[in-house]
Amino acid sequence: MADEQQHKQLHLNAFLMGVGHHEAAWRHPRTRAQSVLDVRHFQALGQIAERGRLDSVFFADGLAVGPRIARNTLAVFEPITLLSAIAAVTERIGLIATASTTYNDPYTLARKFASLDHISGGRAGWNIVTSAGVDEAANYGLDVRPEHEKRYARASEFVDVAVKLWQSWESGSVLLDEDLGVFADPKKVHAIHHEGAHFRVRGPLNSPRSPQGRPLLVQAGSSEAGKEFAARFAEAVFTAQQSLEDGIDFYTDLKRRLPRYGRRAEGLKVLPGVVPFIGGTEAEARALESEFTELISPDYALRQLSTMLGIDLTEHALDAPLPPLPPIHAIEGNKSRYQLVKDLAEKDSLTVRELIGRLGGGRGHRTFAGTPEQLADELQLWFEAGAADGFNIMPPYLPGGLEDFVTEVVPLLQKRGIFREEYEGLTLRDHYRLEPVDGGSDGQEWQAAQ
Amino acid sequence: MADEQQHKQLHLNAFLMGVGHHEAAWRHPRTRAQSVLDVRHFQALGQIAERGRLDSVFFADGLAVGPRIARNTLAVFEPITLLSAIAAVTERIGLIATASTTYNDPYTLARKFASLDHISGGRAGWNIVTSAGVDEAANYGLDVRPEHEKRYARASEFVDVAVKLWQSWESGSVLLDEDLGVFADPKKVHAIHHEGAHFRVRGPLNSPRSPQGRPLLVQAGSSEAGKEFAARFAEAVFTAQQSLEDGIDFYTDLKRRLPRYGRRAEGLKVLPGVVPFIGGTEAEARALESEFTELISPDYALRQLSTMLGIDLTEHALDAPLPPLPPIHAIEGNKSRYQLVKDLAEKDSLTVRELIGRLGGGRGHRTFAGTPEQLADELQLWFEAGAADGFNIMPPYLPGGLEDFVTEVVPLLQKRGIFREEYEGLTLRDHYRLEPVDGGSDGQEWQAAQ
């Protein structure tokens, strides 16, 4: 698919959340709060992203309400069902859903993604996560969250099983031979007979091989365990990087891990997040950002920060510096986000109020305010400096923030020759310029139990 | 919703499977076998059913390939993802998905159905099943299938938990108050603190109350345990009944169980299955049925019959009678289907070949061949004799069999005043003329763990 005569191309994913990533987005006049309950809002976002020729849209997920009921707009739709409804009104845009390896079964989840890949004609992607929340644990019969290391051990085996299941139907196994009356060739459909520490799964999957062979595998954890996991499995990585230097370090570190797993650098795309406030002038963009910051509810932000850091800040003075933070090894939740927030607060000696303002746009992702030219410059800089293969675009408000990016920034990237003018292929793997998944499995022929 | 001045109205569900219920449907020239892999085929079926003003469409499901790889067309799409894609291209038709209580978690599944109900604007229904298959067990770490009684005990607790989760957000809990910055009222969102033999779930659900409050609850098991389960939970029941007498007995039996659970007869709709071969004359309809029967692969049919009966018939002579069958108490699989097939074979002393022909259309559901008038007469007879509140229409081939039913039979039922000319409400519960689900929960106010 890749044309080596052209410029190297960057990849763009639209990370969509409610009416925008800024935590006060739903209170701003540029949004319509009711849209968080309206599937047509999300379908329209998929269509806007497709009009911009973006690689994919992406939805995060969690398995509990969390400490956010009064303020939060996140949890209405479950991502796979939502993306299926978006698939029905789009043709090319990739569709990436978050799903947890901690509280799902691999057979069930592999089937869901195969189904989404069939429904979308090969546009499904899976953002593989572990579930670290105490509130999530309580919804699945546990008193405490599973430990970081155990979550990742289960996640690795989970993905192994899922990949085996997706390969359990070889290419060409579905014959649909009406004359002979043969639907599929049993010689090309295989049990997987997986027996591991966490799962015993016989297979085959109850869905024929899907258009992509398997969904695109995406990952977003940046802890040591997370990076090893990404190096082993991920084809795209979403990451939060506050500076170009940090971005280069992360990119270099991750790519260096790939050969250990027999993988090439091109097989994994690194996509740092950016929350863009776009204006006709830089001053206009900054003024827009300030409007949003002023709408943040301090009590909500304090609870959210408390959850991120694992300490109770809800009674803490807003204009005082942060109290001393525990060391990273004591954290059983999201370790990489913890480290990033800690570094951010300590580097500039921020007060709690200042920290809340910095985090309001993208919960630790980099916020950018400027003109379309300035944003295009910044993206090109990171791309060419070796900090990014593309970007995870996180519009602070929706649909306007995505519309502006597609209308004003994408054409500049196209003019510079670093972003596609048209889709080159049909599937999400095509968009990310990844090799097709191999054709099958050499397991034994499957026989049903009677 | 009900207008007592009108005739009593019957309800029609379209039970959709691949390119038709007849097991050889995909080999007949009236179908296009490739459609089993094409989401547009299923979206078009949803639109045809909606054009006919049917109450709902419905998909069965299983969690293993089963002994059917060479011949079977069932398992491509997972029903909830598929119905989400159908929701996107329809406006009124109800959308019923099968999902198992044996190999799912109630929190995850309750969320999926809430999501489908949000996506469809209140058209979701759940056909509640237990998973009896040995092949299914092997995909979820078990060496043997869970016993009948244990499956039902888990299913009851599962539905209890799901209902509590759907009620965990009261009506009016979502405020979206942009001025005050309040998304939802924490006083109206509740933990459920469920602690039972199978599940411990704190809640609340991570999705606000959906348009219907909860999906329509559907059930299809007709064993003793299945009927009690239906009487307790189900709002619609799909059932296989071969004769009017059996239909009346089943209907009467089921409705008589409702008062024990404080329920009224109108709250549960009984829908026997019918597989209609429709022709311009009765002879034409019978000739069409014969065309399909001749396409059955005997070896496939023998394996399927072996699975239904739990004995190996694959080496049995086609023109001999069935061997002696084990008593029903020895059956751990689908008891009601076993009994039905046993009765059918013994009553008319059928050979194996004859039995296969009888079962080919609808796997134990009643097959009907005749003119549109004859079919309308038959449906009206069952409806008015107290054997049915409506029907589970199982087209033997698709899309033609559904198209013919909608074009030729529905207008006759409308002319007779026993089927709606237009939808009266927006939701699936409206179509089935069920009371709205109550507004909330009196549990304690929910507090997040920190």
Side-chain angles (χ1 to χ4, degrees):
Chain A
M1 213 47 68
D3 180 351
E4 301 301 332
Q5 303 310 306
Q6 294 182 333
H7 274 284
K8 198 178 149 210
Q9 301 279 300
L10 60 79
H11 301 280
L12 295 172
N13 173 70
F15 179 2
L16 304 175
M17 189 180 278
V19 291
H21 279 275
H22 195 283
E23 66 180 50
W26 62 284
R27 301 183 64 191
H28 193 278
R30 291 204 185 192
T31 66
R32 190 178 151 275
Q34 285 73 13
S35 296
V36 301
L37 294 162
D38 187 348
V39 68
R40 292 166 300 184
H41 165 71
F42 296 97
Q43 291 175 317
L45 295 176
Q47 291 168 327
I48 294 168
E50 184 164 278
R51 181 153 28 90
R53 307 295 183 251
L54 269 53
D55 294 69
S56 46
V57 296
F58 159 64
F59 291 93
D61 198 38
L63 300 175
V65 169
R68 326 167 216 162
I69 278 185
R71 311 292 176 180
N72 184 270
T73 63
L74 172 61
V76 177
F77 299 98
E78 181 280 328
I80 299 178
T81 40
L82 179 57
L83 287 170
S84 189
I86 295 175
V89 299
T90 56
E91 293 179 359
R92 294 294 187 93
I93 190 77
L95 307 164
I96 302 174
T98 298
S100 170
T101 54
T102 308
Y103 301 116
N104 276 300
D105 268 296
Y107 197 87
T108 307
L109 195 65
R111 166 85 172 314
K112 295 261 179 199
F113 276 105
S115 189
L116 181 61
D117 206 46
H118 280 294
I119 286 168
S120 62
R123 297 187 279 141
W126 173 22
N127 178 40
I128 307 161
V129 299
T130 73
S131 297
V134 177
D135 290 320
E136 295 176 307
N139 290 330
Y140 291 87
L142 301 181
D143 293 316
V144 295
R145 62 174 121 215
E147 290 162 28
H148 190 267
E149 199 173 317
K150 288 188 180 166
R151 292 201 310 272
Y152 271 95
R154 181 184 162 104
S156 291
E157 189 181 335
F158 194 114
V159 179
D160 277 337
V161 176
V163 168
K164 288 182 200 175
L165 287 169
W166 289 316
Q167 292 182 336
S168 64
W169 292 65
E170 290 181 41
S171 297
S173 49
V174 175
L175 301 175
L176 295 171
D177 187 320
E178 298 165 25
D179 295 332
L180 294 176
V182 177
F183 174 72
D185 181 354
K187 292 197 175 49
K188 294 187 173 177
V189 183
H190 307 278
I192 68 167
H193 294 300
H194 175 89
E195 308 246 350
H198 303 84
F199 306 110
R200 288 173 56 220
V201 182
R202 198 183 60 181
L205 190 62
N206 57 343
S207 185
R209 189 178 187 82
S210 73
Q212 289 188 111
R214 63 162 191 250
L216 183 81
L217 300 180
V218 182
Q219 195 268 357
S222 302
S223 67
E224 183 56 31
K227 283 188 280 198
E228 275 307 294
F229 188 90
R232 188 167 161 210
F233 295 112
E235 296 164 314
V237 167
F238 300 147
T239 180
Q241 302 296 334
Q242 284 285 341
S243 72
L244 179 61
E245 294 66 37
D246 288 350
I248 293 171
D249 286 350
F250 178 83
Y251 185 98
T252 311
D253 177 10
L254 201 52
K255 298 271 178 163
R256 207 153 39 199
R257 294 168 191 250
L258 293 172
R260 268 209 294 280
Y261 298 98
R263 302 184 60 199
R264 295 164 59 215
E266 298 74 33
L268 184 156
K269 313 295 183 189
V270 177
L271 308 177
V274 57
V275 182
F277 285 93
I278 301 168
T281 65
E282 186 178 331
E284 276 176 31
R286 293 204 180 280
L288 182 63
E289 183 181 9
S290 295
E291 283 179 24
F292 279 82
T293 304
E294 280 159 25
L295 291 172
I296 295 176
S297 309
D299 66 325
Y300 168 63
L302 279 176
R303 292 186 75 177
Q304 196 179 48
L305 187 59
S306 299
T307 304
M308 269 190 197
L309 296 175
I311 53 172
D312 185 359
L313 292 169
T314 52
E315 303 298 321
H316 197 79
L318 278 168
D319 293 308
L322 276 179
L325 296 177
I328 183 124
H329 63 74
I331 300 299
E332 282 299 334
N334 182 330
K335 280 180 188 277
S336 49
R337 190 55 48 89
Y338 172 83
Q339 189 67 50
L340 187 147
V341 174
K342 187 169 188 278
D343 291 350
L344 190 66
E346 290 176 354
K347 197 179 69 178
D348 296 346
S349 305
L350 300 179
T351 65
V352 171
R353 190 190 300 276
E354 289 165 340
L355 182 60
I356 286 171
R358 294 271 190 103
L359 294 173
R363 302 172 313 286
H365 283 274
R366 185 158 140 269
T367 299
F368 179 90
T371 65
E373 284 284 354
Q374 286 175 315
L375 180 54
D377 288 349
E378 187 80 357
L379 298 183
Q380 185 167 10
L381 175 68
W382 280 53
F383 179 53
E384 292 177 350
D389 296 307
F391 298 91
N392 195 21
I393 304 299
M394 301 167 58
Y397 56 97
L398 289 166
L402 181 64
E403 185 74 52
D404 289 352
F405 183 84
V406 160
T407 309
E408 297 176 24
V409 182
V410 165
L412 299 176
L413 299 172
Q414 289 169 329
K415 201 176 294 174
R416 296 174 190 199
I418 55 173
F419 190 64
R420 69 175 70 84
E421 307 247 351
E422 286 301 333
Y423 290 111
E424 297 164 346
L426 296 173
T427 71
L428 176 54
R429 302 186 70 82
D430 290 340
H431 303 343
Y432 278 101
R433 295 190 169 188
L434 295 165
E435 300 293 323
V437 170
D438 68 33
S441 142
D442 53 5
Q444 68 189 96
E445 177 176 348
W446 173 84
Q447 289 292 339
Q450 286 293 339
Chain B
M1 213 51 64
D3 181 351
E4 301 302 333
Q5 303 311 306
Q6 294 183 331
H7 274 284
K8 199 178 147 210
Q9 301 279 300
L10 60 78
H11 300 280
L12 295 172
N13 173 71
F15 179 2
L16 304 175
M17 188 179 280
V19 290
H21 279 274
H22 195 282
E23 67 179 51
W26 63 283
R27 302 183 64 191
H28 193 278
R30 291 204 184 193
T31 66
R32 189 179 151 274
Q34 285 74 11
S35 296
V36 300
L37 295 161
D38 188 347
V39 68
R40 291 166 300 184
H41 165 70
F42 296 97
Q43 290 175 319
L45 295 177
Q47 291 168 328
I48 294 168
E50 184 164 278
R51 181 151 30 89
R53 306 296 183 251
L54 268 53
D55 294 69
S56 46
V57 295
F58 158 64
F59 291 93
D61 198 38
L63 300 174
V65 169
R68 326 167 215 164
I69 278 185
R71 310 291 176 180
N72 185 269
T73 63
L74 172 61
V76 177
F77 299 98
E78 181 280 327
I80 299 177
T81 41
L82 179 56
L83 287 170
S84 189
I86 295 175
V89 299
T90 55
E91 293 179 359
R92 295 295 186 91
I93 189 79
L95 307 163
I96 303 174
T98 297
S100 170
T101 54
T102 308
Y103 301 117
N104 276 300
D105 268 298
Y107 197 87
T108 307
L109 195 64
R111 170 65 168 338
K112 295 260 179 200
F113 276 105
S115 190
L116 181 61
D117 206 46
H118 280 293
I119 285 169
S120 62
R123 298 187 278 141
W126 173 23
N127 178 39
I128 307 161
V129 300
T130 73
S131 296
V134 177
D135 291 319
E136 295 175 306
N139 290 329
Y140 291 88
L142 301 180
D143 294 316
V144 295
R145 63 174 123 215
E147 290 162 29
H148 191 268
E149 200 174 317
K150 288 188 180 166
R151 292 201 311 271
Y152 271 95
R154 180 183 162 105
S156 291
E157 190 182 335
F158 194 114
V159 179
D160 277 337
V161 176
V163 168
K164 289 184 201 174
L165 286 169
W166 290 316
Q167 292 181 336
S168 64
W169 293 64
E170 289 180 41
S171 296
S173 50
V174 175
L175 300 175
L176 294 171
D177 187 320
E178 298 164 25
D179 295 332
L180 294 177
V182 177
F183 174 71
D185 181 353
K187 292 197 175 50
K188 294 186 172 178
V189 183
H190 307 279
I192 68 166
H193 294 300
H194 175 89
E195 309 246 350
H198 303 83
F199 306 110
R200 288 174 54 220
V201 182
R202 198 182 59 181
L205 190 62
N206 57 343
S207 185
R209 189 178 188 81
S210 73
Q212 289 188 110
R214 65 161 191 250
L216 183 81
L217 300 180
V218 182
Q219 195 268 357
S222 302
S223 67
E224 182 57 31
K227 283 189 279 199
E228 274 308 294
F229 188 90
R232 188 168 160 209
F233 294 113
E235 296 163 315
V237 167
F238 300 147
T239 180
Q241 301 297 332
Q242 285 284 342
S243 72
L244 179 61
E245 294 66 38
D246 288 349
I248 293 171
D249 286 350
F250 178 82
Y251 185 99
T252 311
D253 177 10
L254 201 51
K255 298 271 178 162
R256 207 155 37 201
R257 293 169 193 251
L258 294 172
R260 270 210 293 280
Y261 299 98
R263 303 183 61 198
R264 296 164 60 217
E266 298 74 33
L268 184 156
K269 311 296 182 189
V270 177
L271 309 177
V274 58
V275 182
F277 285 93
I278 301 168
T281 63
E282 185 177 332
E284 275 176 33
R286 293 203 180 280
L288 181 64
E289 184 182 7
S290 295
E291 283 178 25
F292 279 81
T293 304
E294 281 159 25
L295 291 171
I296 295 176
S297 308
D299 65 327
Y300 168 63
L302 278 175
R303 293 186 74 178
Q304 195 180 49
L305 186 60
S306 299
T307 304
M308 267 190 199
L309 295 175
I311 53 172
D312 185 0
L313 293 169
T314 52
E315 304 297 322
H316 197 79
L318 278 168
D319 293 309
L322 276 178
L325 295 177
I328 183 120
H329 63 75
I331 300 299
E332 282 299 334
N334 182 331
K335 280 180 188 277
S336 49
R337 190 56 47 89
Y338 172 82
Q339 188 67 52
L340 188 147
V341 174
K342 188 170 189 279
D343 290 350
L344 190 65
E346 290 176 355
K347 197 179 70 179
D348 296 346
S349 305
L350 300 179
T351 66
V352 171
R353 189 189 301 277
E354 288 165 339
L355 182 59
I356 286 171
R358 293 270 189 104
L359 294 173
R363 303 172 311 287
H365 283 274
R366 186 160 138 269
T367 299
F368 179 90
T371 65
E373 284 283 353
Q374 286 176 316
L375 180 54
D377 288 349
E378 187 81 356
L379 299 184
Q380 185 167 10
L381 174 68
W382 280 54
F383 179 53
E384 292 177 349
D389 296 307
F391 298 91
N392 195 22
I393 304 299
M394 302 168 58
Y397 56 96
L398 289 166
L402 182 63
E403 185 75 52
D404 288 352
F405 183 84
V406 159
T407 309
E408 297 175 24
V409 182
V410 165
L412 298 177
L413 299 172
Q414 289 169 330
K415 201 176 296 174
R416 297 174 190 199
I418 54 173
F419 190 63
R420 70 175 69 85
E421 307 248 348
E422 286 301 335
Y423 289 112
E424 297 164 345
L426 296 173
T427 71
L428 177 53
R429 301 186 70 81
D430 291 340
H431 304 343
Y432 278 100
R433 296 191 170 186
L434 294 165
E435 301 293 322
V437 169
D438 67 35
S441 141
D442 53 4
Q444 68 190 94
E445 176 176 349
W446 175 82
Q447 290 292 338
Q450 286 294 339

